[in-house]
Structures are given as structure tokens and as C-alpha cells.
Amino acid sequence: MIVVTGATGNVGRTLVRLLAGTGEQVTAVARHITQADVPESVRAVAADLSDVESLRPALERADALFLLVAGEDPQGLVGAAKAAGVRKIVLLSSQGAGTRPQAYRHAGMFEEAVRESGLGWTILRSGGMASNAYAWAEPVRLHRTAAASFGDMGLPFIDPDDVAAAGAAVLREAGHDGATYVLTGPAATSPRERAAAIGQALGEPVRFVEQTRQEAHEQMAQFMPLPVVEGTLAILGEPTPEEQRVSPDVERILGRAPRPFGEWAARNAAAFR
Ligand SMILES: NC(=O)c1ccc[n+]([C@@H]2O[C@H](COP(=O)([O-])OP(=O)(O)OC[C@H]3O[C@@H](n4cnc5c(N)ncnc54)[C@H](OP(=O)(O)O)[C@@H]3O)[C@@H](O)[C@H]2O)c1
């Protein structure tokens, strides 16, 4: 049994379907999940990663756990997994845990707990995801505009379906224990180019609007903790060479190149229509 947390999110939803499609027994976890959110063969269990006790029923009969960085007690979550008989944890972390350890201390704490668990583990450090462009869904739908700061700064954003595919592979295959992978897309794209790609997917131009750093800060602070806002803005505005680099790890895991942003936009055009 594989337990997938974050099962209704951009990554988790696809991961649950991929695993179920290969015949794995899957338990899907999120705070607000119901059985209607998952394929018939999958067990849905509502649990909050901020409350270790709430996760225990989901972990019954679990061999492997796909874990998100959420809540404040990584040791407790890892302990509950061990007590339930889990043998392997795959942690979805952030590239920033490696490149900006101060700003991403929270993810760093989860990485440390997983590394020291005594279980098999693999850490997936994802770069920025293509699905962050959903923040543009409403302005694109309403007036065909997309606003962001650092409009011409390129970063190799990754398709969340590729994160899910990498997750499924490392959960199911041997040979990934003790590995920390950095997951990126196949090429750097700038916010201006991503807005244009969404326009192309729609068949109508999308106007890019350059935001100031302050405007971007105010917007992000509505849904991210402040250190993560600062770290994210630093990556978006002043990326290190490592953060701009295309990582070979998706291809190493999947045996194929990661998908370009334009493909994500084409598959998800309905959200912007
Ligand atoms: N977006 C990026 O650029 C990026 C980059 C690097 C790493 N990441 C990491 O990747 C993770 C997954 O990304 P995503 O796009 O799939 O996220 P998402 O679409 O926002 O989905 C988050 C999922 O986690 C669940 N969840 C959130 N808090 C929870 C909690 N306390 N307990 C249990 N479940 C909880 C949500 O469902 P409920 O709300 O119902 O609980 C949902 O299923 C993020 O959490 C982030 O740590 C993201």
C-alpha cells in the first residue's frame, strides 16, 4: 500500500492516478479529500499533516509514503510512518532547500527527519512548477492579461505531471534509496514567454504586465509564509546559476526528457479560457 499525501493537488492528483493505473494499492490523503476525488480502486482518507494522530488511520498497512512538506512536526510524521511499518518515504521538497537553506529551513527540517529516519528514502527537490501559472487563470480569463515581476528572467519550470511521474517511478522502482534529485523542466522560460505560451494555447494573445517586486511580494504574502516569499522572490529575480540550470534528473529517472512549458499550457488551456 502506497500512501500519497497532497492527493488532491497538482502533483498528488496525477500521482494517485499513475499508481492506481499500474495496479498499486493506494491511499490518498488530504485535509478535505472525499471518495469522490479519487479513482474507485483508491482509498481516500482525510488527515491533516499538522496533526500526526490524524494521519495514523491512513498509514494502516502502508509500505511506502509520499510525503509533502506540511505541518511543523516532521519527526512525528516520520515516527508515525515507522510505527505503521512503512519501509520507504519519498519526500516532495523544494530546490530552495539546497540553494537557499535559510529561507527554506522548513523544507530542510523535513529532509533531515527523512534522511535520519532509518527507512529507505528519496528526496525530490522540485524547482518552480508550471502550475504556478494558475495564478493567472482569472486575469487571463477576464481580460487576457498576466502580471509578474522579473518578466525576462528565465527559469526551467517543471510540469507537475513530470514531478508526479518521477514520484511514481521512485516509489515503485528499486535503486533510488538515499538519492536527492533536483527536478526541473527541459529549458528556461521567462514569465513573459510563459504568458505568450498560454496565449498560443488559447489562440489569442495574452498581454504581459510587469509587476514591481513590492507588488509581487504583497500578492505572494497572501498565501505563503514570509521567509518563503523572500526566498521565492530571490529565486525568481536573482537566481543562482544552479537554479537556472536544467537538471538531468528527470531524464535520469524517467528515461525521457521533461515536458516543455508549452505542453503544460496546451493541456491546461481550459483553465484560462
Ligand atoms: N509550486 C511550486 O512551484 C513548488 C516548488 C517546489 C516544491 N513545491 C512543493 O510541492 C508541493 C505540492 O505542490 P502542488 O502544486 O501539488 O500543491 P497544491 O496543488 O497546492 O496541493 C497541495 C495538496 O496538499 C494538501 N495539503 C495541504 N496542506 C495539507 C496538510 N496540512 N495536511 C494534509 N494535506 C495538505 C492539499 O489538500 P487540502 O487543502 O485538502 O489539505 C492538496 O491536496 C507543495 O506543497 C510544495 O511544498 C511546490
Side-chain angles (χ1 to χ4, degrees):
M1 167 78 74
I2 301 178
V3 175
V4 176
T5 64
T8 53
N10 295 305
V11 173
R13 197 174 45 235
T14 307
L15 176 57
V16 165
R17 279 164 178 73
L18 288 175
L19 292 171
T22 57
E24 295 284 353
Q25 286 193 299
V26 180
T27 296
V29 175
R31 287 167 302 185
H32 310 292
I33 200 165
T34 69
Q35 202 58 43
D37 296 318
V38 295
E40 213 178 338
S41 67
V42 173
R43 180 174 74 126
V45 177
D48 186 341
L49 292 170
S50 306
D51 171 7
V52 173
E53 290 310 310
S54 76
L55 189 64
R56 289 192 197 275
L59 290 169
E60 276 165 28
R61 294 181 290 113
D63 306 302
L65 170 66
F66 182 81
L67 181 63
L68 289 194
V69 171
E72 299 298 329
D73 185 8
Q75 305 280 358
L77 293 169
V78 166
K82 266 176 111 160
V86 165
R87 291 196 300 268
K88 178 176 190 168
I89 301 182
V90 175
L91 178 71
L92 177 52
S93 182
S94 294
Q95 185 181 29
T99 56
R100 303 187 189 253
Q102 280 299 105
Y104 287 82
R105 219 173 50 80
H106 191 213
M109 273 165 39
F110 273 71
E111 289 194 359
E112 197 179 321
V114 166
R115 284 201 185 96
E116 290 174 1
S117 63
L119 303 174
W121 58 265
T122 307
I123 292 172
L124 302 177
R125 285 181 171 168
S126 175
M129 290 189 206
S131 41
N132 293 349
Y134 282 137
W136 290 338
E138 192 175 300
V140 171
R141 273 199 308 267
L142 293 180
H143 32 78
R144 296 290 187 249
T145 64
S149 53
F150 316 114
D152 294 304
M153 183 60 78
L155 286 170
F157 271 29
I158 181 156
D159 188 323
D161 284 2
D162 282 341
V163 178
V170 302
L171 281 161
R172 298 186 68 236
E173 294 166 5
H176 300 288
D177 272 4
T180 299
Y181 295 117
V182 173
L183 306 183
T184 72
T189 54
S190 67
R192 195 183 303 280
E193 289 167 337
R194 292 195 286 274
I198 291 169
Q200 199 162 9
L202 290 173
E204 271 183 61
V206 169
R207 190 168 64 85
F208 181 76
V209 180
E210 180 88 31
Q211 280 181 325
T212 64
R213 187 189 178 102
Q214 186 55 31
E215 285 166 342
H217 190 288
E218 280 164 21
Q219 208 170 39
M220 287 181 186
Q222 291 170 24
F223 57 92
M224 283 180 186
L226 276 184
V228 179
V229 172
E230 284 303 332
T232 303
L233 282 173
I235 292 176
L236 295 176
E238 303 102 34
T240 64
E242 197 183 336
E243 288 161 352
Q244 289 182 291
R245 193 170 67 94
V246 170
S247 166
D249 289 351
V250 168
E251 185 144 13
R252 209 173 268 163
I253 297 168
L254 296 178
R256 63 157 175 85
R259 299 185 184 100
F261 181 84
E263 277 189 29
W264 178 88
R267 279 203 323 284
N268 294 282
F272 300 91
R273 209 151 254 140

